[in-house]
Amino acid sequence: MTLFRRSASVRQLTTACLLAAAACGAHAEAPRQNTVNFSATAHREVLQDELTVVLEAVKDGSQAADVQAELKRVLEAALTEARALIKGAAPEAVSVQTGGFNLYPRYGNNSRITGWQGSAQLVITGTDAGKVSTVSGKLNQLNITQVRYGLSRALREQHEASLTTEAIRQFKTRAGQLATDFGMKGYTLGAVSVSSTDAGFEGRAVPMMAMAKAASPMADAALPVAPGKGTLTITVAGDVFLTP
């Protein structure tokens, strides 16, 4: 009898705890009252400060190994020359790195491999547009396939920091105004997100044949370039709970 009564008491206590937990959970999950969701955005037009030039060598032949070896030779020579030209420059001003390296077969009408073609890329980038364009113009063994302007990390972070402050100020100002308009005393913040977009910094592709270098004394002249502008945008979006 004692064991039965003790088990019944345990069951009653367990049931009571479960009911209490369910009630607390239901209370915690209940939607907040007087919730307003909105966003605030800050924009700024920024002059692009980072130039990137992509150069490429294209080779073909009957044997894959021969094409690969020739591409490697040309790429190594161009890389050595580029490094010598930028020696002593700060990495953010101008830097060089290898890009894509591709090798693929050519097929004839009978669907059999008739030869091989490959390409290798070198990428020159930096905030010193004059140096980037000069180095790119001197690498005569490669053709320029793409030129694009963008925003350097340092300048992006600088503008995003101040734009974020501006967007948050706008968000808080609007939250306060909404509380006033609804006849509330104030507000408290709910879940808020901060995001950024950068329209106009996608870069511009240049057709390879149009940029192919001619064998002339002017072939190593600096590449004529001019930066454009893009728009940085910071958006703050989320919930505020209006206080009665």
Side-chain angles (χ1 to χ4, degrees), residues 163-185:
L163 279 171
T164 299
T165 299
E166 173 63 18
I168 291 174
R169 186 193 64 78
Q170 291 182 22
F171 187 89
K172 293 169 64 178
T173 298
R174 188 175 179 192
Q177 186 62 51
L178 285 169
T180 300
D181 291 345
F182 279 108
M184 302 293 182
K185 293 180 179 179

Side-chain angles (χ1 to χ4, degrees), residues 56-75 101-106 115-121 140-143 208:
E56 186 176 65
V58 178
K59 300 293 179 181
D60 57 37
S62 59
Q63 300 297 321
D66 294 340
V67 175
Q68 181 172 305
E70 181 63 11
L71 284 173
K72 182 180 177 182
R73 182 193 67 78
V74 173
L75 187 62
F101 193 107
N102 301 293
L103 186 66
Y104 42 89
R106 289 202 315 267
W116 293 82
Q117 187 174 49
S119 62
Q121 292 181 333
N140 294 323
Q141 63 272 60
L142 304 176
N143 291 325
M208 181 177 64

Side-chain angles (χ1 to χ4, degrees), residues 139-155:
L139 301 179
N140 294 323
Q141 63 272 60
L142 304 176
N143 291 325
I144 296 172
T145 60
Q146 191 180 68
V147 177
R148 62 178 182 268
Y149 260 101
L151 204 61
S152 67
R153 177 181 296 180
L155 191 58

